[in-house]
Amino acid sequence: MLKLVAATKNKGKLEEFRRLLDGLPVEIISWSEVCAELDVDETGATFEENAFLKADAICRATGLPAFADDSGLCIDALDGAPGVFTARYGAEILGAGASDDERMDLVLKRMEGIPKERRTARFVSAICCTFPNGKTLQCRGVCEGHIGFSKAGNGGFGYDPIFYAGGKSFAEMSGEEKDSISHRGKAMVNFKKELSLFLADSI
Ligand code: IMP
């Protein structure tokens, strides 16, 4: 079985990755298990660049293939923000240690008075997998939706309670339901295909 490091320290994402890659002959190891002390600055201007920076740093540090997802929320009425800054959105006001709840409140506040038809948004996920021989795989997935007027649901993580797709928020969906339409679900379907081909070629 190929050991593959998932470049995330987020437990919610790790669970999603394991669920989405189920069935492939790979053992998913978490970043915290192999190089918890390593930190990677997400200085890229795009989701793709940030995914590469994380996967490449872990692959170099461990000598194992690694894959990373960089994702974020792009809101049309906020000119595409938070975008690549989704994880640290509003830090200048809320401080670096702000919670997801505080960030969602800030988004809702900044969108006060904006009607439903102008609350369109999308979650984007870019996945990059790098191998010790220098080979890389790149995949992307997008989920279109809108920002609600309030939070709903207790599931998921991050901005799930304010992002609505198909009539309910991501936080109101089961894991399987979210995977079937989510940005990461779509990117992972593409990644699973690419990885299977890569594995078949390397045997
Ligand atoms: P990163 O890709 O780990 O840097 O995460 C970027 C930010 O997007 C974090 O604040 C996440 O909470 C948020 N995010 C990414 N994917 C999702 C999702 O599926 N639901 C809710 N928030 C998400």
Side-chain angles (χ1 to χ4, degrees), residues 33-108:
E33 280 173 79
V34 284
C35 51
E37 68 294 343
L38 178 74
D39 260 325
V40 182
D41 287 331
E42 296 182 24
T43 51
T46 62
F47 296 114
E48 276 75 9
E49 276 175 38
N50 282 334
F52 173 77
L53 288 174
K54 287 186 271 189
D56 185 54
I58 291 177
C59 181
R60 284 171 195 273
T62 62
L64 292 170
F67 74 99
D69 136 277
D70 195 61
S71 48
L73 180 59
C74 304
I75 304 173
D76 293 324
L78 301 180
D79 294 326
V84 289
F85 302 108
T86 301
R88 45 192 189 278
Y89 185 59
E92 68 290 353
I93 297 175
L94 304 169
S99 65
D100 287 334
D101 238 30
E102 290 171 305
R103 292 188 211 290
M104 284 188 283
D105 287 339
L106 183 63
V107 169
L108 291 175

Side-chain angles (χ1 to χ4, degrees), residues 13 42 54 69-72 86-87 123 157-160 178 183-184:
K13 275 197 190 177
E42 296 182 24
K54 287 186 271 189
D69 136 277
D70 195 61
S71 48
T86 301
F123 261 119
F157 67 96
Y159 294 74
D160 279 351
K178 178 178 169 187
H183 50 311
R184 196 162 23 263

Side-chain angles (χ1 to χ4, degrees), residues 20 39 42 51 80 106 115 118 124 132 136 146 156 178 189 198 201:
L20 290 159
D39 260 325
E42 296 182 24
L106 183 63
R118 289 203 291 112
V124 178
T136 65
H146 71 272
K178 178 178 169 187
V189 167
F198 176 82
D201 276 355

